[in-house]
Amino acid sequence: MRQQIPPLPGLHAFEAAARLGSFAAAAAELHLSPAAVSQRIRSLEGYLGVALFERLPRGVRLTDMGLAYLPTVRDLFDELSLATTGLFGSTSRQRLTVRVQISYAATWLMPRLPEFCETVPHVDLRIVCAIWADTLPPDEVDLEIRQGNGSWAGLTSELLHEDNAAVVCGHEHLRRYGPIRDTDDLAARPRVHILGYDDLWHRLFPGLPESEVRAQRPGSVITLDTSIAATELAAAGLHCALVPERFARAAVRAGRLALAHHELVPMRQAHYLLRSETTPQLSPAARAFAQWLIRKDIEDTPLGTT
């Protein structure tokens, strides 16, 4: 015998009010009066025997029990929405704008994105690379994926990926110089330095002064400004690149690059999922995208692991 479940109208009103931050906004979304939303939530609270919201002079706030209950209810409606769309199609489409850095987009996100589009066909996805940041008003961006320390003014951040850096090289490099034996051998090889990751080579060669890390024969050290440019240079020529390992996975597995050195360098920057502080809750489309990203990260094992 199936256990009793809470009244669905109350759950619906609770999820909307928690996501939007007010009974009035929930009422507008659900095409109900604020009084009807309030009554449905009170009925749910009576069924559960706990208060889910604190009623304040201006607005409402989730109680501790409300905060604990919200993820379960939210996931319930997300799963129901996705299952319904998958079986019966969608009567309405949602637009989702995500801003990403170009290296992340080109090397890791784009090869996987068709799966998201097939899984969530009712979302019209727009990906904008950070090079167009000045042309897109902030209120038109639903989510942003950015690498850094996790703290940006006006933005709420959630850790998405921890990152290590890996040394990669092209097959022509290995034919010319042979396999890399140790860090002293690697220090003598032609290398790519990437702006913004200036500390990585020095941390890989902790015993060498910074001047010696860069003091190679003319032409042996090239400085570039993106990881995607560094990986392409390494694949096409003789230089080793020390890049975020995630960005090199597709090229190594396709045979365009080789993992040249066994040691990975933990990066001081990580990838974060950002949204404006003025957006209290993610939309269903944004939540579906974020959950998909996390699943893909779990499934995509790093280089050098089994």
Short mmCIF file of all heavy atoms in Angstrom, two decimals, residues 94-124:
data_model
loop_
_atom_site.label_atom_id
_atom_site.label_comp_id
_atom_site.label_asym_id
_atom_site.label_seq_id
_atom_site.Cartn_x
_atom_site.Cartn_y
_atom_site.Cartn_z
N GLN A 94 11.53 27.13 -22.73
CA GLN A 94 12.24 28.02 -21.82
C GLN A 94 13.56 28.41 -22.46
O GLN A 94 14.23 27.59 -23.08
CB GLN A 94 12.51 27.30 -20.49
CG GLN A 94 11.26 26.84 -19.77
CD GLN A 94 11.61 26.06 -18.51
OE1 GLN A 94 12.41 26.50 -17.70
NE2 GLN A 94 11.02 24.89 -18.36
N ARG A 95 13.94 29.65 -22.26
CA ARG A 95 15.21 30.14 -22.79
C ARG A 95 16.22 30.23 -21.66
O ARG A 95 15.89 30.71 -20.57
CB ARG A 95 15.03 31.52 -23.43
CG ARG A 95 16.31 32.10 -24.00
CD ARG A 95 16.02 33.36 -24.79
NE ARG A 95 17.24 34.01 -25.23
CZ ARG A 95 17.26 35.06 -26.05
NH1 ARG A 95 16.13 35.56 -26.51
NH2 ARG A 95 18.40 35.61 -26.40
N LEU A 96 17.43 29.77 -21.92
CA LEU A 96 18.48 29.78 -20.92
C LEU A 96 19.75 30.35 -21.55
O LEU A 96 20.22 29.83 -22.57
CB LEU A 96 18.76 28.37 -20.40
CG LEU A 96 19.90 28.22 -19.39
CD1 LEU A 96 19.56 28.96 -18.10
CD2 LEU A 96 20.17 26.74 -19.10
N THR A 97 20.28 31.41 -20.95
CA THR A 97 21.51 32.04 -21.43
C THR A 97 22.63 31.76 -20.45
O THR A 97 22.51 32.07 -19.26
CB THR A 97 21.34 33.56 -21.61
OG1 THR A 97 20.31 33.80 -22.58
CG2 THR A 97 22.64 34.19 -22.10
N VAL A 98 23.71 31.14 -20.93
CA VAL A 98 24.86 30.78 -20.09
C VAL A 98 26.10 31.42 -20.69
O VAL A 98 26.38 31.27 -21.88
CB VAL A 98 25.05 29.25 -20.03
CG1 VAL A 98 26.23 28.90 -19.12
CG2 VAL A 98 23.78 28.57 -19.56
N ARG A 99 26.83 32.14 -19.85
CA ARG A 99 28.09 32.75 -20.30
C ARG A 99 29.25 31.93 -19.78
O ARG A 99 29.30 31.56 -18.60
CB ARG A 99 28.20 34.20 -19.79
CG ARG A 99 29.48 34.90 -20.28
CD ARG A 99 29.34 36.40 -20.22
NE ARG A 99 28.97 36.89 -18.90
CZ ARG A 99 28.47 38.10 -18.67
NH1 ARG A 99 28.25 38.93 -19.68
NH2 ARG A 99 28.19 38.49 -17.44
N VAL A 100 30.19 31.61 -20.66
CA VAL A 100 31.33 30.76 -20.30
C VAL A 100 32.61 31.34 -20.90
O VAL A 100 32.57 32.12 -21.85
CB VAL A 100 31.15 29.31 -20.79
CG1 VAL A 100 29.91 28.68 -20.20
CG2 VAL A 100 31.08 29.26 -22.31
N GLN A 101 33.73 30.92 -20.34
CA GLN A 101 35.02 31.29 -20.92
C GLN A 101 35.28 30.41 -22.13
O GLN A 101 34.90 29.25 -22.18
CB GLN A 101 36.12 31.13 -19.87
CG GLN A 101 36.00 32.14 -18.74
CD GLN A 101 36.89 31.81 -17.56
OE1 GLN A 101 36.77 30.74 -16.97
NE2 GLN A 101 37.77 32.73 -17.20
N ILE A 102 35.95 30.98 -23.12
CA ILE A 102 36.03 30.31 -24.42
C ILE A 102 36.79 28.98 -24.35
O ILE A 102 36.42 28.02 -25.01
CB ILE A 102 36.66 31.26 -25.48
CG1 ILE A 102 36.53 30.64 -26.87
CG2 ILE A 102 38.10 31.59 -25.13
CD1 ILE A 102 36.85 31.59 -27.98
N SER A 103 37.83 28.89 -23.53
CA SER A 103 38.57 27.63 -23.45
C SER A 103 37.71 26.53 -22.84
O SER A 103 37.73 25.38 -23.29
CB SER A 103 39.86 27.81 -22.63
OG SER A 103 40.77 28.63 -23.31
N TYR A 104 36.93 26.86 -21.81
CA TYR A 104 36.03 25.89 -21.19
C TYR A 104 34.98 25.45 -22.20
O TYR A 104 34.67 24.25 -22.32
CB TYR A 104 35.38 26.52 -19.97
CG TYR A 104 34.46 25.60 -19.18
CD1 TYR A 104 34.93 24.91 -18.08
CD2 TYR A 104 33.13 25.43 -19.54
CE1 TYR A 104 34.10 24.08 -17.34
CE2 TYR A 104 32.29 24.60 -18.82
CZ TYR A 104 32.78 23.93 -17.72
OH TYR A 104 31.95 23.10 -17.01
N ALA A 105 34.45 26.41 -22.94
CA ALA A 105 33.40 26.08 -23.91
C ALA A 105 33.93 25.16 -25.01
O ALA A 105 33.33 24.14 -25.33
CB ALA A 105 32.84 27.36 -24.52
N ALA A 106 35.07 25.54 -25.59
CA ALA A 106 35.56 24.81 -26.77
C ALA A 106 36.11 23.43 -26.43
O ALA A 106 35.92 22.48 -27.20
CB ALA A 106 36.63 25.65 -27.47
N THR A 107 36.78 23.30 -25.29
CA THR A 107 37.49 22.05 -25.01
C THR A 107 36.67 21.05 -24.21
O THR A 107 36.84 19.84 -24.36
CB THR A 107 38.80 22.31 -24.25
OG1 THR A 107 38.50 22.94 -22.99
CG2 THR A 107 39.72 23.21 -25.05
N TRP A 108 35.78 21.53 -23.33
CA TRP A 108 35.06 20.60 -22.46
C TRP A 108 33.56 20.61 -22.66
O TRP A 108 32.92 19.56 -22.75
CB TRP A 108 35.38 20.89 -20.99
CG TRP A 108 34.94 19.79 -20.07
CD1 TRP A 108 35.63 18.64 -19.79
CD2 TRP A 108 33.71 19.70 -19.34
NE1 TRP A 108 34.89 17.84 -18.94
CE2 TRP A 108 33.72 18.46 -18.64
CE3 TRP A 108 32.60 20.52 -19.21
CZ2 TRP A 108 32.66 18.05 -17.83
CZ3 TRP A 108 31.55 20.12 -18.39
CH2 TRP A 108 31.59 18.90 -17.72
N LEU A 109 32.97 21.81 -22.77
CA LEU A 109 31.51 21.88 -22.80
C LEU A 109 30.93 21.48 -24.16
O LEU A 109 29.98 20.70 -24.23
CB LEU A 109 31.07 23.31 -22.45
CG LEU A 109 29.56 23.55 -22.41
CD1 LEU A 109 28.89 22.65 -21.37
CD2 LEU A 109 29.27 25.02 -22.08
N MET A 110 31.48 22.00 -25.25
CA MET A 110 30.87 21.78 -26.56
C MET A 110 30.78 20.30 -26.95
O MET A 110 29.75 19.88 -27.50
CB MET A 110 31.62 22.56 -27.65
CG MET A 110 31.44 24.06 -27.57
SD MET A 110 29.71 24.58 -27.60
CE MET A 110 29.54 25.31 -25.97
N PRO A 111 31.81 19.47 -26.69
CA PRO A 111 31.66 18.07 -27.07
C PRO A 111 30.53 17.35 -26.35
O PRO A 111 30.06 16.31 -26.82
CB PRO A 111 33.04 17.46 -26.69
CG PRO A 111 33.98 18.61 -26.70
CD PRO A 111 33.17 19.78 -26.20
N ARG A 112 30.09 17.88 -25.21
CA ARG A 112 29.05 17.22 -24.41
C ARG A 112 27.68 17.86 -24.57
O ARG A 112 26.67 17.27 -24.18
CB ARG A 112 29.46 17.23 -22.93
CG ARG A 112 30.71 16.42 -22.67
CD ARG A 112 31.37 16.73 -21.35
NE ARG A 112 32.52 15.87 -21.17
CZ ARG A 112 33.71 16.10 -21.72
NH1 ARG A 112 33.89 17.19 -22.47
NH2 ARG A 112 34.71 15.26 -21.55
N LEU A 113 27.64 19.06 -25.12
CA LEU A 113 26.40 19.83 -25.12
C LEU A 113 25.26 19.18 -25.92
O LEU A 113 24.10 19.33 -25.52
CB LEU A 113 26.68 21.23 -25.65
CG LEU A 113 25.68 22.31 -25.24
CD1 LEU A 113 25.60 22.42 -23.73
CD2 LEU A 113 26.09 23.65 -25.84
N PRO A 114 25.53 18.49 -27.03
CA PRO A 114 24.40 17.86 -27.73
C PRO A 114 23.57 16.94 -26.85
O PRO A 114 22.35 16.85 -27.03
CB PRO A 114 25.09 17.09 -28.87
CG PRO A 114 26.34 17.86 -29.14
CD PRO A 114 26.78 18.35 -27.79
N GLU A 115 24.20 16.28 -25.88
CA GLU A 115 23.46 15.40 -24.98
C GLU A 115 22.45 16.19 -24.16
O GLU A 115 21.32 15.75 -23.94
CB GLU A 115 24.41 14.64 -24.07
CG GLU A 115 23.68 13.72 -23.09
CD GLU A 115 24.61 13.12 -22.05
OE1 GLU A 115 25.73 12.73 -22.41
OE2 GLU A 115 24.21 13.07 -20.88
N PHE A 116 22.86 17.37 -23.66
CA PHE A 116 21.93 18.18 -22.89
C PHE A 116 20.75 18.59 -23.76
O PHE A 116 19.59 18.55 -23.31
CB PHE A 116 22.62 19.42 -22.33
CG PHE A 116 21.68 20.37 -21.61
CD1 PHE A 116 21.27 20.10 -20.31
CD2 PHE A 116 21.18 21.50 -22.25
CE1 PHE A 116 20.39 20.95 -19.65
CE2 PHE A 116 20.30 22.35 -21.60
CZ PHE A 116 19.90 22.08 -20.30
N CYS A 117 21.02 19.00 -24.99
CA CYS A 117 19.95 19.44 -25.88
C CYS A 117 18.96 18.31 -26.17
O CYS A 117 17.76 18.55 -26.30
CB CYS A 117 20.54 19.98 -27.19
SG CYS A 117 21.58 21.44 -26.96
N GLU A 118 19.46 17.07 -26.26
CA GLU A 118 18.57 15.94 -26.47
C GLU A 118 17.79 15.59 -25.20
O GLU A 118 16.63 15.21 -25.26
CB GLU A 118 19.38 14.73 -26.93
CG GLU A 118 19.98 14.88 -28.32
CD GLU A 118 20.82 13.68 -28.71
OE1 GLU A 118 20.84 12.69 -27.94
OE2 GLU A 118 21.44 13.73 -29.79
N THR A 119 18.45 15.72 -24.05
CA THR A 119 17.81 15.36 -22.78
C THR A 119 16.75 16.36 -22.37
O THR A 119 15.71 15.99 -21.81
CB THR A 119 18.88 15.25 -21.67
OG1 THR A 119 19.89 14.32 -22.07
CG2 THR A 119 18.26 14.78 -20.36
N VAL A 120 17.00 17.63 -22.64
CA VAL A 120 16.08 18.71 -22.23
C VAL A 120 15.69 19.50 -23.48
O VAL A 120 16.12 20.66 -23.66
CB VAL A 120 16.73 19.61 -21.16
CG1 VAL A 120 15.69 20.51 -20.50
CG2 VAL A 120 17.43 18.79 -20.09
N PRO A 121 14.88 18.92 -24.36
CA PRO A 121 14.61 19.57 -25.65
C PRO A 121 13.76 20.82 -25.56
O PRO A 121 13.70 21.59 -26.53
CB PRO A 121 13.90 18.46 -26.44
CG PRO A 121 13.27 17.59 -25.39
CD PRO A 121 14.22 17.61 -24.23
N HIS A 122 13.07 21.04 -24.43
CA HIS A 122 12.21 22.22 -24.33
C HIS A 122 12.97 23.48 -23.94
O HIS A 122 12.37 24.55 -23.84
CB HIS A 122 11.09 21.97 -23.31
CG HIS A 122 11.58 21.78 -21.91
ND1 HIS A 122 12.16 20.60 -21.48
CD2 HIS A 122 11.59 22.61 -20.83
CE1 HIS A 122 12.49 20.72 -20.21
NE2 HIS A 122 12.18 21.93 -19.79
N VAL A 123 14.28 23.39 -23.73
CA VAL A 123 15.09 24.56 -23.37
C VAL A 123 15.82 25.08 -24.60
O VAL A 123 16.55 24.33 -25.27
CB VAL A 123 16.11 24.20 -22.26
CG1 VAL A 123 17.07 25.37 -22.01
CG2 VAL A 123 15.39 23.83 -20.97
N ASP A 124 15.60 26.33 -24.91
CA ASP A 124 16.34 27.00 -25.99
C ASP A 124 17.60 27.59 -25.37
O ASP A 124 17.55 28.60 -24.65
CB ASP A 124 15.50 28.11 -26.63
CG ASP A 124 14.32 27.55 -27.42
OD1 ASP A 124 14.47 26.47 -28.01
OD2 ASP A 124 13.26 28.19 -27.42
#
